[in-house]
């Protein structure tokens, strides 16, 4: 069974503060890691697809890093805003065209 | 581009019944995957369809079956519904390892 773990499960952040959280995965047979943002009552929205060790991706105030050798990825939110409140999911792909194996998600609540 | 669409949005069934959920992929996508998301968990992979064939399957019983049509749209069928089948069912479309685009989901409640 493939275990993709996300921590923490939930996070309360004050507006304006920066935060980060972790996705951990088995480092063998890695192919790609996806990050999604899922707001309540909406579809999961793709943030990043990361494939190479050392990858760093950025989209506005959100960025992600990838370490395939030790099996983790960090997602950072700089200067959190209430609209950043969502569940952030990471998902692992082991081979091209393969299924996404999701972590349990980190629920972020940004308080004004 | 309408993106990934799913129907219906909500559904209530009773134990033992059968249900069919539908998904239309994003334009240009040929692969459709189905996921089940139970409360408090991440989505769990059910199966993936490509060129009208089931290409890969997750740990779900044979009560879960699917189909992909020549226009790439897909159906998920669940027979002999159990209370534990109550969940949000998500459809995602894509090409290879490119970003998979998700629909809004169908929320199924089994009573």
């Amino acid at each position: 069974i493939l275990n993709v773990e996300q921590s923490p499960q939930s996070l309360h952040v004050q507006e304006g503060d920066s935060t980060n959280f972790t996705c951990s995965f088995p480092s063998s047979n890695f192919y790609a890691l996806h990050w999604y943002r899922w707001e309540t009552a909406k579809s999961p929205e793709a943030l990043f697809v990361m494939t190479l060790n050392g990858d760093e991706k950025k989209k506005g105030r959100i960025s992600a890093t990838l370490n395939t050798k030790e099996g983790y990825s960090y997602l950072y939110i700089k200067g959190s805003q209430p609209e950043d409140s969502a569940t952030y999911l990471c998902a692992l792909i082991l081979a091209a065209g393969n299924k996404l194996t999701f972590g349990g998600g980190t629920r972020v609540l940004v308080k004004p | 581009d309408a993106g990934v669409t799913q129907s219906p949005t909500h559904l209530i069934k009773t134990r033992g019944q059968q249900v069919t959920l539908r998904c239309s992929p994003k334009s240009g996508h040929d692969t459709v995957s189905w996921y089940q998301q139970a409360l408090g968990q991440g989505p769990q992979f059910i199966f993936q369809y490509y060129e009208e064939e089931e290409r890969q399957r997750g740990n779900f019983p044979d009560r879960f079956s699917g189909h992909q049509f020549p226009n790439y749209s897909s159906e998920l069928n669940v027979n002999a519904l159990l209370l534990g089948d109550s969940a949000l069912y998500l459809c995602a479309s894509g090409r290879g390892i490119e970003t998979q685009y998700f629909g809004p989901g169908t929320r199924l409640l089994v009573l």
Side-chain angles (χ1 to χ4, degrees), chain A residues 1 9 31-32 34 36 38 41-49 51 89 93 95-105, chain B residues 4 31 33 35 37 40-45 48 55-59 88 90 92 96-105:
Chain A
I1 294 179
Q9 284 188 323
Y31 193 83
H34 292 221
Y36 287 87
W38 196 359
K42 294 186 178 180
S43 306
E45 172 199 355
L47 288 174
F48 307 115
V49 178
T51 55
L89 291 163
I93 293 183
N98 209 326
K99 63 179 181 179
L100 292 170
T101 299
F102 281 90
Chain B
V4 181
T31 302
S33 302
Y35 295 83
Q37 200 233 359
Q41 298 180 20
Q44 299 292 314
F45 176 77
Q48 184 181 80
R55 180 158 69 173
Q56 192 165 6
R57 188 177 183 92
N59 294 325
L88 179 70
L90 291 164
I97 67 155
E98 293 175 10
T99 299
Q100 291 196 27
Y101 291 84
F102 283 82

Side-chain angles (χ1 to χ4, degrees), chain A residues 26 38 41 63-64 75 94 100 103 108:
Chain A
W38 196 359
S63 60
L75 193 92
L94 289 180
L100 292 170
V108 174

Side-chain angles (χ1 to χ4, degrees), chain A residues 20-40:
Chain A
N20 65 83
F21 37 93
T22 308
C23 173
S24 302
F25 50 87
S27 54
S28 57
N29 300 320
F30 174 89
Y31 193 83
L33 188 85
H34 292 221
W35 279 101
Y36 287 87
R37 173 170 58 201
W38 196 359
E39 296 178 68
T40 303

Side-chain angles (χ1 to χ4, degrees), chain B residues 26-81:
Chain B
K26 188 174 168 65
S27 176
H29 288 177
D30 55 9
T31 302
V32 173
S33 302
W34 287 92
Y35 295 83
Q36 180 196 65
Q37 200 233 359
L39 208 58
Q41 298 180 20
Q44 299 292 314
F45 176 77
I46 304 175
F47 42 54
Q48 184 181 80
Y49 277 85
Y50 172 70
E51 292 188 343
E52 301 180 52
E53 290 194 0
E54 184 182 290
R55 180 158 69 173
Q56 192 165 6
R57 188 177 183 92
N59 294 325
F60 280 80
D62 292 344
R63 297 186 298 109
F64 289 76
S65 63
H67 189 77
Q68 186 178 33
F69 299 94
N71 67 354
Y72 305 118
S73 67
S74 176
E75 288 183 348
L76 163 66
N77 301 293
V78 187
N79 294 323
L81 284 166

